[in-house]
Amino acid sequence: MERAGEARPRRSSGRRAWWLGALLGVAWSWCPAEAHADSPFATPKIVLQPAKPISPSTVLTAAPKLTLTQHADDLPSLAPPPRDYDLALPNQSALHYVRAGANVLLLNYLVWQQNWISGREYIFTTRRDWDRNLKQGFEWDKDPIQTNFFGHPYHGGFYFSSARSAGLSFWEAIPYTLGGSLSWELFGETERPSVNDVFATTLGGILMGEALYRISSQVLDESLSGPPRLLRELTAAAIAPGRGLDRLLSGRAWRLDAPPQRRYFRVAGHFGLDHTGDFNFNDLSFTNDDQLTKNAVLAALDLQYGDGLPRTASSTLGPFEMFQLYIASNLTARNGFEGVQIFGDGLLYGWSSKITDDTDKETDNNVLGFFQTFDFQGVSAVNFGGMGFGPGDMMIFRRKNGSTFRVGFDLQWVPIFGVTSAFTANSGRDYNLGVGGAFGTSLVWDLGRPGRLALRSRHYLGSVVSGAEGVEYTSYARFSYEIDLVKGLLAAGVAPTALIRNNRYDGGNRFEGAVNSTQIYLIVHN
Amino acid sequence: MSMRSTSLLALLCAASLLQGSARAQTAAQETGAPAATVGTAATAGPAQATSGATTAVGEAQSTSSTAAAGTAKPAAAQPVAMANARPLITPATSPAHWSKDGSLGWFVIASSIFLGAAVTGFGLAQTCPEGVNGCTRSTSLAIWGGIGGATLGTILGLVMVQQGQARQKGQNVSVLRLGPLGEFALLPSPVAPTSH
């Protein structure tokens, strides 16, 4: 029979063993996630990092501090310096070029598949269609002017931005845009390939693609994580879908890296009214009020990127380090694209030189270089679109109080433009396609508190290559005045626009007249 | 509960702890990052001497220039680390090295192109009546479906190859991915400027 004293040591040793086992079990649960990664209770939100930098020769004598962190900025000493998201990736290999090509083909497939699901019969291509397209060659197509001078450039921007996102430079991405357009025209449609589509997709895609790519770079921040990162990635993907697709497939959409280098970027949202005034064209069919929306709700974005100063010691500016883009739509118009205005111009390459001896924030410089422009004017009475490139010059004067004065001009070769006309012969379209040139001027005078004046004009002159043979002259001028209501946030503006047509066709026909419109709007800007 | 069963329970917990620590060590060595575990740090008293207490988790990828510097072990700490470390398993001998150095990516590329070309070729070999009909609809799907599959597989395989190459160059940032919610990085060990 046990005595009472002898039983107590047995119970104490058992209890100690139990507590020891429990303690070890708790310690096991604190093992890093990967040690028991198959456990459903793995806790991934643990970041191990020392509280401060440690010398390599130091031997740790205490357990490292555990902290929860979701941002590289939590450790300023470890945060990488900002990176230029618009530069091509260094140390490119052939794999980058192959991936860019695969991106373009995948975009074509996704667009094709979406059309197939929608039942669009013109994309049910077979070997017979491929043979016929290759043998018969290119033609001028009969798509609406909105498709050719807005839809195709925007689609070309997808190709361009997906190639850029694969790590290529601006110039390297151009062939991929052309290749994407050619592959679609030859193999994606049962209709004969269209030469104007190739021009519009490639040239328009370069401008739209690079501009939207750089805008998306200003939205992205790879040093973030969690919901803020997700929101920025989704916004950037909406701006440049080709880039968003590449980031999703490559994993860059959630990879932590350096924050972006910020550029001068002014974005202004317009919301107001667009009033189309009386117009007079010699062809009465274009004055039918049923085709015209006199007053419409206006929504627009006015973007100005780059301060015009060189970022390198060589005093040169690279592709699209300076550009402006204006996109407006009349929301209540009968036709979805009625009243749409898109114009943009970007620097392809420029050489900067100082105009005065002013320095720092008051530097005055002149940029001589090559520019690319894009226009699509969807004013209901007349529509036109054009894209070109050529030499130009811009002078920028800056003052200490932040006011600036920019004035520039350019002379361009326009390989493709389109203008609606009553005289289109047997083309099957309501617009003529032509080749020619353009002369443009721009002026932006930011006075600071008194307001902001801007004037933009462009004059197209060319000969018709598909439609009623003749000479087309179309020009427009847009003047705007904006003034801050709340400094740095809210402003109001007014912008009258005038469009003039003067066309002479073989056989004595002419089409001439003018139409004006006025926009009144509120502005939210940064 | 008898003493025998409690002791057995304690032994099981200790074994689990040691196993977890060993797996962390192996994962860290495969990715080239210095390894330490919270468990060993919490219970082993003096922590292993490393240039920073980080633990390799999941796949490793990085473009940070500090990552390479962060993986260097301090010379003075190596004897302690090596005394406590399990035998090193080099990437070349790791049973899963082909999934770490990107070789699997080439297989994905090749197989995607092969299968995609086969499907597209099958579609191109078909002859359909003139006009729009069910035959043209399904044949076009085969043609473009093969193109789509090949390109998607090529892209994914290229990404795997490129990540493997980055890993081989020692550019590692261990990451924990939570999909669209973001990524939690185990930052590379900081290396302060030496000042002796």
Side-chain angles (χ1 to χ4, degrees):
Chain A
M1 177 179 171
E2 291 179 357
R3 287 175 292 182
E6 291 176 355
R8 193 173 297 115
R10 257 205 321 266
R11 283 201 295 273
S12 296
S13 62
R15 191 174 297 121
R16 277 198 296 273
W18 193 95
W19 280 110
L20 177 62
L23 182 64
L24 290 174
V26 169
W28 177 85
S29 71
W30 275 86
C31 283
E34 81 286 358
H36 48 98
D38 52 345
S39 165
F41 305 108
T43 52
K45 294 189 180 180
I46 295 175
V47 177
L48 301 179
Q49 57 192 8
K52 56 184 177 182
I54 301 168
S55 169
S57 60
T58 302
V59 176
L60 290 176
T61 56
K65 177 182 176 183
L66 295 177
T67 60
L68 285 174
T69 179
Q70 294 185 353
H71 200 298
D73 287 348
D74 288 346
L75 288 175
S77 60
L78 299 179
R83 182 172 64 85
D84 189 346
Y85 286 7
D86 300 316
L87 286 179
L89 286 179
N91 304 320
Q92 286 180 2
S93 66
L95 299 181
H96 289 93
Y97 298 98
V98 174
R99 202 174 103 210
N103 281 350
V104 168
L105 282 177
L106 182 65
L107 279 170
N108 269 345
Y109 164 71
L110 291 174
V111 172
W112 183 92
Q113 188 65 74
Q114 184 265 327
N115 281 300
W116 185 90
I117 293 171
S118 302
R120 296 204 170 92
E121 297 170 350
Y122 71 93
I123 53 92
F124 294 166
T125 53
T126 62
R127 189 189 70 243
R128 182 188 295 119
D129 299 303
W130 285 21
D131 288 341
R132 186 168 53 219
N133 290 345
L134 288 169
K135 286 176 185 169
Q136 292 183 350
F138 292 80
E139 65 171 5
W140 301 98
D141 72 13
K142 300 176 180 52
D143 290 337
I145 192 171
Q146 297 89 350
T147 301
N148 280 337
F149 287 92
F150 174 68
H152 278 280
Y154 185 62
H155 188 93
F158 291 5
Y159 298 140
F160 192 91
S161 59
S162 71
R164 289 278 273 128
S165 186
L168 274 57
S169 68
F170 171 87
W171 302 107
E172 291 170 333
I174 292 175
Y176 289 87
T177 311
L178 175 63
S181 177
L182 282 174
S183 61
W184 178 264
E185 292 297 321
L186 290 170
F187 307 118
E189 297 180 355
T190 56
E191 300 164 353
R192 281 180 63 184
S194 165
V195 62
N196 52 283
D197 283 352
V198 173
F199 273 104
T201 304
T202 305
L203 291 177
I206 292 169
L207 187 145
M208 297 284 280
E210 181 67 10
L212 295 177
Y213 185 84
R214 284 182 175 263
I215 292 168
S216 67
S217 293
Q218 297 300 302
V219 173
L220 289 170
D221 189 341
E222 294 183 342
S223 65
L224 298 177
S225 61
R229 175 67 178 269
L230 176 63
L231 181 63
R232 286 178 181 267
E233 291 289 338
L234 291 176
T235 303
I239 295 170
R243 184 179 200 177
L245 179 65
D246 179 78
R247 291 179 69 81
L248 179 68
L249 293 175
S250 65
R252 285 201 75 97
W254 48 82
R255 191 171 75 188
L256 281 180
D257 206 329
Q261 278 185 358
R262 295 299 181 194
R263 307 287 191 101
Y264 172 80
F265 182 46
R266 182 180 185 273
V267 55
H270 300 181
F271 189 75
L273 290 173
D274 189 325
H275 171 75
T276 301
D278 295 333
F279 55 91
N280 180 20
F281 285 91
N282 62 320
D283 186 356
L284 293 177
S285 65
F286 278 79
T287 61
N288 185 344
D289 285 346
D290 290 338
Q291 299 178 3
L292 176 64
T293 302
K294 281 277 192 178
N295 299 292
V297 175
L298 169 76
L301 275 176
D302 189 2
L303 308 162
Q304 192 168 332
Y305 179 100
D307 56 10
L309 289 171
R311 300 170 65 85
T312 63
S314 61
S315 297
T316 57
L317 287 89
F320 282 77
E321 288 189 11
M322 183 170 65
F323 70 85
Q324 52 184 355
L325 188 63
Y326 177 83
I327 306 170
S329 176
N330 288 5
L331 299 177
T332 53
R334 293 187 185 88
N335 180 329
F337 286 99
E338 188 175 316
V340 168
Q341 294 180 54
I342 301 175
F343 58 76
D345 52 74
L347 176 70
L348 288 173
Y349 197 83
W351 293 265
S352 173
S353 56
K354 293 185 72 175
I355 301 174
T356 64
D357 292 331
D358 296 335
T359 57
D360 299 328
K361 291 186 179 178
E362 295 185 68
T363 302
D364 304 323
N365 69 316
N366 180 79
V367 178
L368 177 69
F370 290 91
F371 294 79
Q372 183 184 5
T373 61
F374 173 81
D375 270 308
F376 176 66
Q377 294 287 344
V379 176
S380 61
V382 287
N383 296 349
F384 80 90
M387 48 201 84
F389 51 93
D393 189 84
M394 178 167 288
M395 289 183 285
I396 308 169
F397 299 88
R398 302 171 182 84
R399 290 296 168 261
K400 197 188 312 183
N401 59 3
S403 63
T404 58
F405 179 79
R406 289 189 183 205
V407 59
F409 68 91
D410 58 81
L411 188 65
Q412 304 213 336
W413 174 55
V414 179
I416 185 77
F417 72 84
V419 286
T420 53
S421 174
F423 304 98
T424 58
N426 299 319
S427 65
R429 298 183 302 266
D430 62 353
Y431 61 97
N432 295 317
L433 289 168
V435 177
F439 174 74
T441 61
S442 69
L443 183 150
V444 179
W445 192 2
D446 190 343
L447 295 158
R449 195 162 180 182
R452 191 167 184 263
L453 291 167
L455 174 65
R456 175 186 173 90
S457 72
R458 189 156 294 275
H459 313 268
Y460 287 90
L461 178 66
S463 72
V464 177
V465 295
S466 176
E469 292 192 2
V471 176
E472 295 274 6
Y473 171 74
T474 301
S475 71
Y476 75 89
R478 182 177 185 270
F479 172 81
S480 68
Y481 174 68
E482 300 167 357
I483 186 167
D484 270 345
L485 301 176
V486 177
K487 186 179 179 183
L489 178 64
L490 186 68
V494 59
T497 302
L499 186 142
I500 299 172
R501 292 284 303 276
N502 195 328
N503 310 94
R504 298 284 185 264
Y505 302 107
D506 296 351
N509 291 322
R510 61 185 180 88
F511 184 71
E512 57 187 11
V515 60
N516 62 77
S517 65
T518 303
Q519 297 171 343
I520 303 171
Y521 47 91
L522 288 174
I523 309 162
V524 176
H525 65 90
N526 61 348
Chain B
M1 182 183 290
S2 68
M3 180 169 177
R4 190 176 301 166
S5 58
T6 52
S7 301
L8 185 61
L9 176 64
L11 282 172
L12 283 174
C13 290
S16 300
L17 174 65
L18 289 172
Q19 182 188 29
S21 173
R23 285 173 66 180
Q25 287 270 5
T26 304
Q29 286 156 2
E30 285 178 353
T31 57
T37 65
V38 176
T40 55
T43 61
Q48 292 188 8
T50 64
S51 57
T54 62
T55 303
V57 179
E59 282 192 21
Q61 59 177 355
S62 170
T63 58
S64 170
S65 60
T66 60
T71 57
K73 288 187 177 180
Q78 280 180 352
V80 178
M82 289 183 65
N84 293 336
R86 293 169 65 84
L88 289 176
I89 301 174
T90 63
T93 58
S94 165
H97 78 275
W98 53 270
S99 68
K100 301 290 184 185
D101 65 2
S103 302
L104 177 62
W106 290 114
F107 173 77
V108 173
I109 293 170
S111 55
S112 299
I113 292 176
F114 176 78
L115 292 173
V119 173
T120 297
F122 173 79
L124 288 172
Q126 306 307 305
T127 303
C128 291
E130 195 66 53
V132 178
N133 46 63
C135 177
T136 57
R137 186 178 168 90
S138 56
T139 298
S140 62
L141 180 62
I143 293 172
W144 274 95
I147 292 172
T151 53
L152 181 62
T154 300
I155 292 170
L156 295 176
L158 284 171
V159 170
M160 295 167 71
V161 170
Q162 287 174 325
Q163 287 184 350
Q165 290 178 345
R167 225 173 274 126
Q168 293 284 27
K169 292 175 186 173
Q171 296 165 343
N172 287 322
V173 172
S174 302
V175 294
L176 289 166
R177 295 201 190 92
L178 292 182
L181 292 181
E183 193 172 33
F184 299 90
L186 298 175
L187 296 174
S189 305
V191 178
T194 55
S195 54
H196 299 291

